[in-house]
Amino acid sequence: MCPWRVAMNLIDVSSLENHSADFQFAAVAPGGVSMSQRLHEEDTVNPIPGFAGVVGRSTALQRTLREVEVVAPTDSGVLILGETGTGKELIARAIHNLSARRNRPFITLNCAAIPSGLVESELFGHERGAFTGAIMRKTGRFEAADRGTLFLDEVGDIPLELQPKLLRVLQEHEFERLGSTRTQQVDVRVVAATHRDLKQMVADGEFRSDLYYRLHVFPLSVPPLRERHEDIPLLVRHFVDEYARRMKRRIETIPPQAIEALTSYSWPGNVRELQNFIERAVILSPGSVLRPPLAELKQAAVQMPSSELGTMEEMEREHVLRAVRASNWVIGGPSGAAARLGMKRTTLAYRIRKLNIPLRPQ
């Protein structure tokens, strides 16, 4: 995994220590302690044992990591709940790495990124000739994850008609490849994740109740970035260091007004949005001082009135629509809406369809 992915939510201490002498925050903390001094003190705090140098200072994140420590050594299924961009896959990997299966495969599948007609083949595999275009046998994710961990991201997007087969493999540990009558046994720990309200989906008839209860053995919530403001300076520091190194630049100072603005912003796209914003900031900073486009944050804050609250779906639709408009209706690419929102192009395309957002100006 790329180093910047590891740091989406959880900081790599080694990278902070190696560059702490080169990196300054041009700010002063309360009581006359420089921001760099305060962060150095935080960097030297021992990480939670078993998380391989990962540090999170916020109470909300520490609570989540303690729950990971509790459930990881068991073989129970885990349902990770959290908004898009909060780092649910990182938590799933931590569960795997702290378990007895750590030396076995960790297989992932984003259920929202796969066309509904292909999900069964992706999960369970297929035999040659099972359907048009199946020119050879394919191993599914369950088979590939045997004796390891399978991470099902956006599990709420699994088609309703396929859910009984998923429930069966969770309960009985057996399945058949598509187009085969031979039953295969597997030993797989399933960690699932979603940003959707599965309980409401059950009430609406969009998700099976028996599958929901099977997945909901150990629910684990990942906090959004707006509940982790004290982690933002560390995240900013790491991302600046990472992208400056990639772009062969030397950024030594982050202005105090930048830290203040970044910390006070709500980050609806969570850590992915912050990461992409910092990448843009490094691109725009030819010298030794970070020059983030703070006007973008001010504009976004003005466009999000706090006095008129809508439903979560309405707020999400408006946020996605603003990003699409700002990118001139381009979804993919480095300047597209997906990059602005800090999500995969396929995930954004799914959300656009789900929220009934037009694909061109009207």
Side-chain angles (χ1 to χ4, degrees):
M1 189 195 312
C2 297
W4 58 266
R5 288 295 304 279
V6 176
M8 281 173 51
N9 263 352
L10 312 172
I11 302 302
D12 184 337
V13 178
S14 61
S15 66
L16 295 177
E17 292 173 344
N18 292 340
H19 299 271
S20 59
D22 302 332
F23 217 117
Q24 302 175 22
F25 282 92
V28 176
V33 179
S34 70
M35 183 70 76
S36 60
Q37 283 178 302
R38 190 176 72 176
L39 287 175
H40 177 71
E41 292 173 358
E42 292 179 350
D43 293 347
T44 57
V45 174
N46 291 329
I48 298 176
F51 279 83
V54 168
V55 170
R57 294 297 301 168
S58 63
T59 302
L61 184 58
Q62 290 288 325
R63 185 184 308 115
T64 298
L65 298 185
R66 284 195 295 270
E67 292 179 354
V68 169
E69 282 193 306
V70 169
V71 74
T74 74
D75 221 20
S76 299
V78 180
L79 179 61
I80 304 174
L81 307 170
E83 299 175 8
T84 298
T86 52
K88 295 187 290 293
E89 183 173 341
L90 295 177
I91 296 298
R93 287 185 179 274
I95 292 170
H96 174 74
N97 291 335
L98 289 170
S99 74
R101 298 173 182 261
R102 66 179 65 89
N103 296 321
R104 298 295 181 177
F106 178 81
I107 306 297
T108 68
L109 177 66
N110 187 329
C111 302
I114 306 296
S116 58
L118 297 179
V119 175
E120 182 175 7
S121 174
E122 288 293 329
L123 284 174
F124 305 109
H126 63 252
E127 297 289 343
R128 178 180 178 182
F131 51 85
T132 302
I135 59 175
M136 60 186 297
R137 174 187 289 179
K138 177 180 177 178
T139 298
R141 305 298 173 98
F142 268 100
E143 191 173 351
D146 191 25
R147 302 179 68 187
T149 303
L150 175 61
F151 175 54
L152 297 179
D153 198 5
E154 300 301 348
V155 71
D157 292 286
I158 289 183
L160 191 61
E161 63 272 15
L162 187 57
Q163 292 178 19
K165 189 169 183 176
L166 176 59
L167 177 63
R168 179 192 171 204
V169 73
L170 292 178
Q171 291 182 332
E172 308 298 334
H173 307 287
E174 61 182 28
F175 68 95
E176 292 84 32
R177 287 198 192 110
L178 190 61
S180 174
T181 58
R182 187 172 71 88
T183 300
Q184 295 189 211
Q185 303 287 331
V186 288
D187 173 18
V188 176
R189 182 184 194 176
V190 173
V191 177
T194 184
H195 74 282
R196 305 177 70 179
D197 186 346
L198 294 186
K199 193 171 185 179
Q200 184 59 50
M201 291 180 66
V202 170
D204 295 339
E206 299 176 355
F207 202 84
R208 290 179 62 102
S209 60
D210 47 7
L211 178 58
Y212 168 73
Y213 292 121
R214 189 69 186 84
L215 293 171
H216 201 257
V217 173
F218 193 92
L220 195 157
S221 296
V222 181
L225 189 55
R226 62 180 174 273
E227 296 178 6
R228 299 175 46 205
H229 284 290
E230 59 265 52
D231 289 341
I232 290 177
L234 284 172
L235 285 163
V236 170
R237 179 179 177 180
H238 176 83
F239 289 139
V240 170
D241 177 69
E242 181 65 36
Y243 285 114
R245 186 165 56 248
R246 287 186 178 196
M247 300 176 195
K248 295 180 171 54
R249 297 185 181 183
R250 185 179 180 86
I251 298 179
E252 300 176 347
T253 304
I254 300 178
Q257 63 269 28
I259 288 295
E260 182 179 354
L262 294 171
T263 304
S264 60
Y265 184 59
S266 62
W267 298 107
N270 293 294
V271 183
R272 280 207 200 109
E273 184 183 5
L274 172 63
Q275 176 194 340
N276 291 333
F277 181 86
I278 295 301
E279 182 179 5
R280 271 199 310 283
V282 173
I283 293 172
L284 296 171
S285 305
S288 62
V289 179
L290 186 72
R291 302 187 182 280
L294 299 180
E296 292 183 15
L297 305 184
K298 295 177 182 178
Q299 182 181 10
V302 168
Q303 292 176 342
M304 289 191 296
S306 58
S307 58
E308 297 181 9
L309 295 178
T311 65
M312 288 296 294
E313 184 169 308
E314 290 170 347
M315 294 171 67
E316 181 184 8
R317 188 180 191 279
E318 181 60 29
H319 184 61
V320 170
L321 190 56
R322 283 201 306 272
V324 172
R325 286 170 176 162
S327 61
N328 197 26
W329 303 87
V330 175
I331 304 300
S335 301
R340 287 174 177 268
L341 292 170
M343 62 175 63
K344 297 177 182 177
R345 180 187 59 79
T346 51
T347 301
L348 178 58
Y350 170 80
R351 298 310 302 163
I352 286 174
R353 293 195 303 271
K354 201 74 173 176
L355 296 168
N356 197 27
I357 294 176
L359 294 178
R360 58 183 61 85
Q362 291 185 335

